[in-house]
Amino acid sequence: MFRSTLALLLLALPLAGQAPPPLKEVVERFDAAQAQVQTLQCPFTLTLRRALLKTPSVTKGTMYLQGSDFAHFAFQPPEDLVLHLTPKALISYSPEAREGELMKIGLIKNSDRKFLGLGQKLSYLSDYFQISLSEAKDGSNTWFLALAPRTLSLRKRMQALNLWVDKETWLPRQIQWIERSGDSWFLELGALRINQALPSGVIGFKLPEGIPLRSEFSFFATRKK
């Protein structure tokens, strides 16, 4: 009786280390899921590791995404920061300090940031990255996609872009950007609210009048080698 009950329990368990589907299928499902998302908002945790620092910095907040139009990060206190990324510009704003930074980047296709992998089709990214697929080893029920830069210009800036894709929704759960210097950003997304109205202040985001803007974007500043 014990053996038969144990056998039934084992049969009910998901298979560990199951073989991933063909990469083409994952790309198609990911792109189809992305295409259905007009807007997205969720809590996030961002872990920033600097090559010259032993202790990483961890910040939290809310992320808002509208297709490939913009990604908006509102950080929780004590972090005094709002990031607004569009295909043509990167804006950082400190409400309490009343100062900001602006870096114009032209069209998104000419930028190697690409919203850190958010709002972009894998079929598009595959033109710039070599993609390998495996099952995530952290028990998160995700597929792990390691994207290695193809072009020399990208390889000069970065080592890898990693995505953890949910096996059920086929949407990103975690994103990791690793610079050539060793600096990295690891973005963990919480519960997703999809295709719901975004706050008007996010959609029509504008800096208040009179805010001085520096022509830089220090959030992405890294140690040069």
Side-chain angles (χ1 to χ4, degrees):
M1 180 65 180
F2 174 77
R3 291 181 180 178
S4 60
T5 302
L6 179 60
L8 289 173
L9 288 173
L10 290 174
L11 287 173
L13 293 174
L15 291 176
Q18 58 179 296
L23 178 59
K24 180 181 178 183
E25 178 183 339
V26 173
V27 170
E28 291 175 348
R29 290 198 178 197
F30 181 90
D31 287 359
Q34 290 278 70
Q36 296 300 314
V37 177
Q38 302 302 314
T39 65
L40 180 150
Q41 52 188 305
C42 67
F44 72 83
T45 300
L46 177 64
T47 301
L48 171 58
R49 297 180 182 274
R50 296 290 191 188
L52 294 180
L53 300 176
K54 292 183 178 180
T55 305
S57 65
V58 180
T59 54
K60 296 179 181 291
T62 303
M63 184 193 78
Y64 305 90
L65 185 72
Q66 182 167 290
S68 58
D69 295 336
F70 66 78
H72 184 99
F73 297 83
F75 287 77
Q76 293 178 358
E79 191 74 22
D80 177 31
L81 182 64
V82 173
L83 297 179
H84 191 80
L85 316 180
T86 75
K88 295 185 178 181
L90 310 177
I91 300 172
S92 68
Y93 170 52
S94 300
E96 292 185 8
R98 293 187 60 79
E99 60 184 19
E101 298 175 344
L102 170 66
M103 185 172 75
K104 295 182 179 180
I105 57 177
L107 297 176
I108 195 74
K109 66 181 180 180
N110 294 324
S111 167
D112 58 9
R113 293 298 176 182
K114 297 183 176 66
F115 290 177
L116 298 175
L118 296 168
Q120 288 290 329
K121 292 183 177 181
L122 274 178
S123 56
Y124 176 84
L125 292 176
S126 64
D127 291 338
Y128 301 90
F129 296 88
Q130 179 71 41
I131 304 176
S132 60
L133 170 67
S134 62
E135 185 174 23
K137 298 179 180 180
D138 58 2
S140 59
N141 196 37
T142 59
W143 298 117
F144 175 70
L145 293 98
L147 286 75
R150 291 180 182 271
T151 65
L152 179 60
S153 61
L154 278 176
R155 290 197 297 269
K156 287 181 177 180
R157 292 291 307 278
M158 63 179 298
Q159 295 183 35
L161 174 64
N162 299 321
L163 298 177
W164 286 257
V165 178
D166 191 282
K167 291 182 180 180
E168 296 182 3
T169 66
W170 295 95
L171 293 172
R173 291 263 296 276
Q174 299 171 335
I175 301 119
Q176 182 183 42
W177 173 284
I178 305 175
E179 295 280 358
R180 184 183 177 187
S181 66
D183 295 351
S184 69
W185 290 263
F186 182 56
L187 183 66
E188 300 172 84
L189 305 181
L192 305 182
R193 298 175 60 191
I194 297 172
N195 295 336
Q196 298 187 22
L198 300 182
S200 57
V202 171
I203 296 176
F205 175 77
K206 291 183 179 179
L207 293 177
E209 293 289 338
I211 297 296
L213 282 177
R214 296 187 297 273
S215 298
E216 56 185 9
F217 201 73
S218 59
F219 180 80
F220 285 133
T222 59
R223 174 172 59 91
K224 294 183 179 180
K225 297 188 70 174

